[in-house]
Amino acid sequence: MDGSAAALATVIGARVRRERLSRAWTLDQLADTAGVSRRMVVSVEQGEVNPSVGTLLRLSDALGIGLPALVEPPQVATVKITRRGEGATLWSGEHGGQGVLVAGTAPPDVVELWDWTLAPGDAHVSDAHTPGTKELIQVQQGSITVTIGDQSATLRVGDAMTFGGDVSHSYVNAGGRPARFSLAVFEPGVGSGAPQTGGA
């Protein structure tokens, strides 16, 4: 991990531990509720790993706090501004792309706003999110191919798409130029005790 990724991993680990202890949960209880291994929970809490977005979603959903609350500092004010470069980079592609969480709301109905870039050849594959999750995409640069279950569509500059994120899906840049898109994710009922399927 580079310095910024290591710093983010440390912050996330401290928040997971604080939230777990505030519920008087053991490591095993959190692992079971989130559907991840005990070893992963330990590694996350100690800041030793840069967990996948799917793992972070499972942990934040299990704790009932939503992904934005896990990666952002607590806010007292009703208005929060994320300046350019201040978002949490939660995914890095093999060829240089990034998934940056730039804004989000508190549970129970969590909305996340992402700024994604995919370098040529980059692909992000996601498991299904929790039931009822919706995703909205709009392409600002280049083109991407989005696959939801067994359906695929290529989106170009200005194109937008809405789909259910509670099935497996992927974003791929099969072109020769970098692609950039905004992604909004709506995840209802976070912390309501619904079974967790994870995803990203």
Side-chain angles (χ1 to χ4, degrees):
M1 288 187 286
D2 63 23
S4 60
L8 181 59
T10 299
V11 169
I12 289 171
R15 290 188 187 137
V16 169
R17 178 175 170 77
R18 184 178 66 240
E19 293 291 338
R20 176 178 64 81
L21 293 177
S22 74
R23 290 158 178 75
W25 285 3
T26 65
L27 290 164
D28 289 327
Q29 285 173 305
L30 176 55
D32 290 345
T33 304
V36 300
S37 69
R38 183 181 191 276
R39 178 183 297 266
M40 176 57 73
V41 174
V42 171
S43 296
V44 168
E45 286 194 359
Q46 294 179 350
E48 296 175 349
V49 296
N50 186 7
S52 70
V53 178
T55 297
L56 291 176
L57 275 170
R58 291 180 181 190
L59 290 170
S60 62
D61 287 354
L63 292 167
I65 60 173
L67 184 58
L70 190 62
V71 300
E72 295 178 351
Q75 295 294 316
V76 176
T78 57
V79 175
K80 179 183 185 308
I81 297 173
T82 303
R83 299 292 182 191
R84 183 174 183 172
E86 292 180 347
T89 302
L90 300 180
W91 177 84
S92 296
E94 292 182 14
H95 304 286
Q98 292 186 326
V100 181
L101 180 62
V102 295
T105 63
D109 295 325
V110 174
V111 179
E112 303 163 7
L113 180 61
W114 294 77
D115 180 12
W116 279 84
T117 55
L118 294 179
D122 269 338
H124 176 70
V125 179
S126 175
D127 293 331
H129 297 304
T130 53
T133 298
K134 304 292 183 194
E135 300 200 12
L136 299 88
I137 294 174
Q138 186 180 36
V139 177
Q140 276 87 44
Q141 177 184 346
S143 65
I144 61 171
T145 299
V146 183
T147 301
I148 306 104
D150 58 1
Q151 300 180 43
S152 292
T154 298
L155 305 179
R156 295 175 178 83
V157 175
D159 292 346
M161 170 187 276
T162 304
F163 64 92
D166 50 7
V167 295
S168 60
H169 50 282
S170 65
Y171 323 115
V172 177
N173 181 358
R177 297 186 305 148
R180 184 174 185 178
F181 61 97
S182 293
L183 169 68
V185 180
F186 170 69
E187 187 180 9
V190 171
S192 63
Q196 305 301 316
T197 57

